[in-house]
Amino acid sequence: MKELKDIIRAYDEAQQQGKQTALATVVHLEGSAYRRPGARMLVTEDGQLTGAISGGCLEGDALRKAQLVIVQKKPMLVTYDTTDEDDAKLGVGLGCNGIISILIEPISADDQLNPIGFIKTILEKRQSAVLVTLFSMDKKTVQPGTCMLVTEEGSIKTSLEGGLLRNTLVDDAQVAIRNKKSVTKEYEVENLLTGFVELISPAVSLIIFGAGNDTLPLVQIASVLGWETTVVDGRPNYATLQRFPLASRILISKPENAISQLTFDANTVAVLMTHNYNYDIAALKHLLPLQLPYIGALGPKKKLDRMIDELIEQGILINEETIADLYGPTGLDIGAETADEIALSIVSEIKAVLSKRPGSSLRSKVETIHPRETQKVIPSSITV
């Protein structure tokens, strides 16, 4: 999500300066690569880059092709094949052993349904949405490009006219939202088209109860990742904008009052680190019914166990599923000692939990980092 925000910011600056732009998007991948489908990079006519489509290997070549796209004003599909061991002949030296397809689209400010406009709509609200990008592996064919946006609340924006293809894409987008999973499908129209039906979820919303010094690096690291952070504390001299300039929001409040002022969804997590037992247990009491995917508690495990026991004595229903989402002590075991290291361990654990990963060393992983089934192209049943 941070990459998308950076791209929008760079696009707006380019518009103010009268610069033309193009958007490069990884739309398909076979094998392995540094970035996955959905990675994006904005290119200005004078060569400024925002975002990334690789680890730095493809950007130079993609820049030249993007500048051509800007001049020609039509989308281009570019494929980089690094499955050959001697990928030096590509001039990019990837060494990734994959086939990467990148769609480069010119951005016209006059077109209200351009990809940047779709992305801006997504960023307006905290909701999941699907972007549909159509492309053809036959590079001689006109590339349709990013053509549809479907939001979680049911809003549809599209450059496609009504018909079977449009209706099918809407249905596929809604399925992707329900399944919380992107998909790539083939559509037999006049020519065979591939559709990247991409689910884009809201940024992680991290709510931190506690505005002590150890919260400072946690907010900073979360900000680097593009997470939205809210700092909640009852002490007005601690919870200040001067201390937390990178926080999205600061609330000076008791826990029970703060909860009613916050919005919670599937990407919302919380960490208790006030160093005040009574404040932490009051916050935990109001967080538990919300069934957040992650609630972390700073401090020893016996502290969390004591809070749970006390809440049960108060009649709060706490079952095994609820306890499974509680993490105390919060953070991964990386040997953290300083506040900065502890913040790193907390953020790492949250990321692992939300990604449904164990948080272990990649060298211990037997299978590939990314499951190959996510690269499958599913044939569509429609023929137009």
Side-chain angles (χ1 to χ4, degrees):
M1 188 59 70
K2 180 178 184 295
E3 187 170 69
L4 294 182
K5 292 179 180 179
D6 291 342
I7 285 174
I8 294 301
R9 190 178 302 111
Y11 172 78
D12 288 341
E13 291 177 359
Q15 284 293 105
Q16 293 173 2
Q17 297 168 10
K19 297 179 183 178
Q20 298 183 68
T21 58
L23 185 68
T25 305
V26 178
V27 291
H28 189 245
L29 169 65
E30 295 179 32
S32 61
Y34 187 80
R35 296 299 306 272
R36 308 290 298 169
R40 289 178 170 83
M41 179 177 74
L42 185 77
V43 182
T44 63
E45 60 181 300
D46 60 349
Q48 295 183 24
L49 307 178
T50 304
I53 52 174
S54 75
C57 310
L58 296 180
E59 276 69 7
D61 188 71
L63 164 62
R64 292 186 289 272
K65 290 183 169 60
Q67 290 173 324
L68 179 61
V69 164
I70 290 173
V71 172
Q72 295 180 342
K73 299 185 184 304
K74 63 178 184 180
M76 174 191 299
L77 185 73
V78 184
T79 301
Y80 298 93
D81 186 348
T82 65
T83 55
D84 193 311
E85 292 184 3
D86 184 18
D87 63 7
K89 62 188 178 184
L90 273 174
V92 293
L94 281 174
C96 288
N97 198 32
I99 301 174
I100 308 153
S101 296
I102 297 171
L103 184 68
I104 306 176
E105 303 172 82
I107 305 300
S108 171
D110 297 329
D111 180 8
Q112 299 297 317
L113 298 175
N114 68 53
I116 295 295
F118 286 147
I119 294 172
K120 284 186 174 182
T121 300
I122 293 173
L123 296 178
E124 288 174 357
K125 297 181 180 180
R126 277 195 63 83
Q127 61 175 324
S128 296
V130 164
L131 272 182
V132 178
T133 303
L134 290 176
F135 58 97
S136 173
M137 291 298 187
D138 181 0
K139 297 177 183 178
K140 297 179 181 180
T141 301
V142 175
Q143 302 292 339
T146 307
C147 60
M148 180 178 290
L149 167 66
V150 179
T151 67
E152 187 175 10
E153 64 183 11
S155 173
I156 299 172
K157 290 186 177 182
T158 180
S159 57
L160 297 176
E161 297 180 357
L164 184 56
L165 177 61
R166 178 191 182 281
N167 295 339
T168 301
L169 289 174
V170 170
D171 290 342
D172 289 342
Q174 292 172 337
V175 170
I177 290 175
R178 288 197 300 270
N179 293 341
K180 303 185 186 307
K181 185 178 181 181
S182 301
V183 66
T184 303
K185 301 188 70 171
E186 287 183 339
Y187 303 92
E188 187 69 49
V189 197
E190 295 178 358
N191 301 298
L192 182 64
L193 293 178
T194 304
F196 177 36
V197 184
E198 177 191 6
L199 177 71
I200 300 179
S201 299
V204 175
S205 174
L206 171 60
I207 301 171
I208 308 168
F209 289 87
N213 290 341
D214 51 358
T215 300
L216 296 171
L218 182 56
V219 172
Q220 292 169 350
I221 295 176
S223 176
V224 169
L225 297 175
W227 293 6
E228 298 174 2
T229 56
T230 300
V231 177
V232 183
D233 200 299
R235 301 166 294 179
N237 57 323
Y238 277 75
T240 66
L241 183 60
Q242 289 71 28
R243 281 170 53 78
F244 297 98
L246 298 178
S248 307
R249 189 179 182 188
I250 298 174
L251 290 178
I252 303 171
S253 172
K254 295 180 179 180
E256 56 271 22
N257 296 331
I259 296 298
S260 62
Q261 301 178 59
L262 298 169
T263 300
F264 299 89
D265 55 36
N267 276 19
T268 301
V269 298
V271 178
L272 309 175
M273 47 194 310
T274 67
H275 301 278
N276 182 314
Y277 182 86
N278 291 330
Y279 196 102
D280 278 354
I281 192 172
L284 183 60
K285 177 180 180 179
H286 290 85
L287 289 172
L288 287 177
L290 302 174
Q291 298 181 321
L292 302 183
Y294 182 99
I295 300 175
L298 191 68
K301 188 176 186 300
K302 63 181 181 180
K303 173 188 172 183
L304 178 59
D305 291 340
R306 178 185 169 190
M307 288 194 291
I308 292 173
D309 290 340
E310 287 192 21
L311 291 176
I312 292 175
E313 290 175 1
Q314 295 176 26
I316 304 298
L317 178 62
I318 301 178
N319 54 32
E320 292 184 1
E321 291 183 359
T322 303
I323 293 178
D325 295 328
L326 298 180
Y327 294 81
T330 181
L332 294 181
D333 182 5
I334 59 173
E337 294 289 345
T338 67
D340 292 343
E341 293 169 347
I342 292 170
L344 175 62
S345 75
I346 293 172
V347 168
S348 298
E349 184 175 52
I350 292 172
K351 174 58 181 174
V353 169
L354 293 180
S355 300
K356 295 180 172 56
R357 296 297 180 91
S360 56
S361 176
L362 285 174
R363 73 174 185 176
S364 303
K365 197 173 179 68
V366 177
E367 63 274 17
T368 58
I369 297 176
H370 300 286
R372 289 293 185 256
E373 57 265 23
T374 61
Q375 301 176 13
K376 291 181 179 178
V377 178
I378 302 172
S380 174
S381 58
I382 74 161
T383 301
V384 181

